[in-house]
Amino acid sequence: MKDHPSQWIPSGLTCRETAGLAGEYLDDRLPLLAGIRVGLHLASCAHCRAYFSQIVLIGEAARLFPKTVPSPVNRLRLRRHFAAQHSG
Amino acid sequence: MNSVAATYPESLEQHPSCETPSSSAKATALTNEERRLIGRLRTGDEGAFDELVNRHHGALVRMAMGHVADREVAEEVAQDTWMAVIEGLHRFEGRSSLRTWIFGILIHKAKDRGVREKRHTTFSAFESCEDEHDEAIDPSRFRQSGEWAGHWAFPPQPWDEQTPEKLLASREAVEAMHKAIDALPATLKDVLILRDIEGVEAKEVCAILRITETNLYVRLHRARERVRTAVEAALG
């Protein structure tokens, strides 16, 4: 499929509008017709496909960030407090 | 100190700002996993508590940082939140998810601490309004006129071959992501942390932050675009 603008499938959406709907589209939260229009636009626009895939990629990478845990001192305080709540 | 845990409402039904209270109530029901975890916590299982802390502590600190002056204070707010969770656990009725309840306590405490520090918080009408109306993507990246107005003038270049793992292996990209996230105003940071870093479902994010779904996606779009732009610049 050609990605030159002249080959775009008329979705009624500009790239700017399509990009603005990325979050809802990726979460499947758009009304049916709007979702179809975004899908049509993506099918023929490599730039918006790149944009959407970058949004997805960043989200996936963010989810892999190393976990931060409390300092040993704070952890100990929490454990003691937790234990105290359950003793007697 | 920890009365917040007792008073923080578990149910969404009290929040008219949510667009779909009935569906939200469904979204905040306890999962089987959470039910089991709560059971273990109530019997005093320290391993269960460690598990809970390990799962959410980083996001709590990061969210708190949007409301208070520095990381040290944010750590204190997170610690206070855990203390409140410990003390309030026996009163938790499960009308919201455990996570919604914990993050609700954190936001309440962070906001309170931020106000006490006399900083501008994210809840001012001005900042909220500014967030809603600013452009997410730099308008100059789109054609301004002509037949293709509104279409890309300077499109994003494809990140071929990139995977989340490869992206995280790039020190520049990771630094750019962290820097961009840390620089976000709290309203945007909260949604990004909950939705993208913690992986919380959209409806639950709305419940935690007491915002509408429309508002959520506006904020999410702006937050993600700032991070994407930062990574784009780092990757050259």
Side-chain angles (χ1 to χ4, degrees):
Chain A
M1 180 172 290
K2 302 281 187 188
D3 282 311
H4 187 274
S6 63
Q7 300 296 315
W8 284 344
I9 300 166
S11 63
L13 293 174
T14 63
C15 295
R16 192 175 190 169
E17 291 164 338
T18 304
L21 295 171
E24 285 132 306
Y25 181 79
L26 294 168
D27 279 353
D28 203 16
R29 298 297 301 164
L30 284 177
L32 183 65
L33 187 59
I36 291 171
R37 290 169 76 188
V38 172
L40 276 175
H41 186 100
L42 289 175
S44 60
C45 179
H47 302 327
C48 283
R49 284 201 301 276
Y51 182 83
F52 275 50
S53 68
Q54 289 171 9
I55 293 294
V56 171
L57 184 68
I58 285 172
E60 288 172 351
R63 225 159 284 181
L64 297 176
F65 280 164
K67 295 282 182 192
T68 312
V69 295
S71 67
V73 173
N74 281 346
R75 172 84 78 178
L76 188 63
R77 283 185 186 138
L78 289 177
R79 281 181 181 156
R80 281 184 181 158
H81 197 59
F82 184 78
Q85 290 288 312
H86 293 90
S87 61
Chain B
M1 172 180 75
N2 292 334
S3 59
V4 178
T7 57
Y8 184 78
E10 291 177 34
S11 172
L12 254 190
E13 289 162 2
Q14 300 171 32
H15 310 307
S17 62
C18 297
E19 284 171 336
T20 53
S22 55
S23 57
S24 300
K26 185 183 165 196
T28 55
L30 289 179
T31 61
N32 285 337
E33 189 196 349
E34 276 198 319
R35 214 167 276 130
R36 277 194 296 274
L37 182 62
I38 291 166
R40 288 170 62 201
L41 290 167
R42 284 183 173 152
T43 59
D45 182 337
E46 285 187 29
F49 184 66
D50 275 351
E51 204 178 292
L52 185 68
V53 170
N54 291 344
R55 194 179 301 170
H56 300 305
H57 187 76
L60 291 181
V61 172
R62 202 151 208 168
M63 276 183 76
M65 282 175 70
H67 301 268
V68 300
D70 55 43
R71 188 176 179 96
E72 200 178 325
V73 179
E75 290 276 1
E76 284 174 24
V77 172
Q79 182 80 357
D80 281 354
T81 299
W82 288 123
M83 291 291 193
V85 167
I86 292 168
E87 291 175 16
L89 200 56
H90 67 284
R91 290 187 296 266
F92 176 67
E93 295 175 2
R95 281 180 286 129
S96 71
S97 77
L98 183 61
R99 179 166 58 186
T100 299
W101 180 61
I102 294 169
F103 278 91
I105 296 169
L106 179 279
I107 289 168
H108 187 103
K109 284 183 173 294
K111 183 182 169 187
D112 185 54
R113 186 70 179 258
V115 169
R116 277 196 281 133
E117 286 182 340
K118 299 188 178 181
R119 293 179 70 242
H120 285 294
T121 70
T122 59
F123 298 91
S124 73
F126 175 76
E127 188 169 317
S128 169
C129 184
E130 188 181 54
D131 282 346
E132 306 308 320
H133 292 97
D134 280 1
E135 292 282 351
I137 304 175
D138 179 355
S140 69
R141 295 194 68 154
F142 298 101
R143 299 180 202 207
Q144 302 298 313
S145 58
E147 190 184 358
W148 300 106
H151 294 280
W152 294 104
F154 301 99
Q157 297 306 305
W159 298 345
D160 293 333
E161 312 292 319
Q162 284 289 358
T163 62
E165 292 77 13
K166 281 186 187 170
L167 200 61
L168 290 176
S170 160
R171 199 165 57 91
E172 291 81 6
V174 171
E175 274 179 14
M177 282 180 80
H178 283 300
K179 216 171 163 183
I181 293 168
D182 289 344
L184 290 172
T187 46
L188 305 187
K189 190 184 288 187
D190 288 351
V191 294
L192 189 88
I193 290 170
L194 289 170
R195 185 74 190 96
D196 284 358
I197 299 181
E198 281 281 291
V200 179
E201 290 298 321
K203 281 183 180 171
E204 197 181 336
V205 177
C206 292
I208 292 169
L209 300 176
R210 304 181 190 190
I211 59 175
T212 63
E213 206 169 287
T214 304
N215 207 332
L216 164 71
Y217 284 112
V218 169
R219 293 183 189 187
L220 204 50
H221 180 46
R222 288 169 47 77
R224 284 170 169 170
E225 174 55 16
R226 291 196 194 182
V227 178
R228 193 201 66 80
T229 306
V231 174
E232 185 177 54
L235 293 176

